[in-house]
Amino acid sequence: MTRVKYRDSDIDLIARMMRAEAVGEGRLGMLMVGNVVVNRAVVDCLDFKDVRTIRDVIFQVQGGNYSFEAVQKGSLFYNPARDVERRLARQVVRYWRQHPSKYALWYFNPYGPCPPTWYDQPFAGQYKQHCYYEPQANTCESAYRY
């Protein structure tokens, strides 16, 4: 059983996103970014009520911009996916979850220390340069289901 329905094209999308957002943080960092993408596809709350697929999540527009900086600015996102990232993407859509991204719906790479909240959502933890944030208590029950 997988965490989210996907096609081969979705694997390429999430693989490209993982690489673009976290290649400097190694495989574990890329897995954590991929986990946030999958979490957004499976929850039914907050800003993610109308996103159901990997493609919906990656190309979601909020406040007039794409949600992910890699899609906004291009960076590595528009390069083809490599086999290593595809393997990691398959892990994430099938089963992989780990703290601090386990229940996280947001992450970002600040210029300084991780703030205690991000748009009123509590800090879940940090991995290398990325700060991860879970939904506020009692606001998104579906984030805590497997």
Side-chain angles (χ1 to χ4, degrees), residues 5-16 53-56 58 89 93:
K5 291 181 183 181
Y6 67 92
R7 296 180 284 183
D8 287 341
S9 60
D10 296 321
I11 294 298
D12 276 358
L13 274 176
I14 198 169
R16 289 169 30 210
T53 67
I54 299 297
R55 182 172 201 70
D56 289 346
I58 291 175
V93 298

Side-chain angles (χ1 to χ4, degrees), residues 102-116:
K102 187 171 185 173
Y103 305 113
L105 295 178
W106 302 273
Y107 65 84
F108 83 111
N109 182 348
Y111 293 106
C114 296

Side-chain angles (χ1 to χ4, degrees), residues 15 18-19 23 27 30-31 81-91:
M18 292 164 62
R19 177 181 181 195
V23 69
R27 291 181 179 178
M30 288 190 285
L31 284 166
R82 300 180 301 188
D83 287 341
V84 65
E85 288 103 12
R86 282 190 197 101
R87 281 192 299 275
L88 295 173
R90 283 186 189 91
Q91 278 184 264

Side-chain angles (χ1 to χ4, degrees), residues 11-113:
I11 294 298
D12 276 358
L13 274 176
I14 198 169
R16 289 169 30 210
M17 178 61 69
M18 292 164 62
R19 177 181 181 195
E21 293 277 333
V23 69
E25 297 186 355
R27 291 181 179 178
L28 186 55
M30 288 190 285
L31 284 166
M32 289 193 187
V33 163
N35 190 65
V36 170
V37 172
V38 172
N39 286 349
R40 288 181 178 192
V42 299
V43 300
D44 188 24
C45 61
L46 305 168
D47 295 333
F48 313 108
K49 287 183 180 181
D50 296 324
V51 293
R52 289 291 154 261
T53 67
I54 299 297
R55 182 172 201 70
D56 289 346
V57 171
I58 291 175
F59 292 108
Q60 183 182 23
V61 174
Q62 293 178 306
N65 291 309
Y66 289 112
S67 296
F68 294 103
E69 189 173 313
V71 179
Q72 288 176 31
K73 296 182 178 177
S75 67
L76 295 173
F77 179 71
Y78 292 103
N79 289 338
R82 300 180 301 188
D83 287 341
V84 65
E85 288 103 12
R86 282 190 197 101
R87 281 192 299 275
L88 295 173
R90 283 186 189 91
Q91 278 184 264
V92 168
V93 298
R94 290 180 181 157
Y95 64 87
W96 192 91
R97 293 179 93 177
Q98 183 174 317
H99 180 78
S101 71
K102 187 171 185 173
Y103 305 113
L105 295 178
W106 302 273
Y107 65 84
F108 83 111
N109 182 348
Y111 293 106

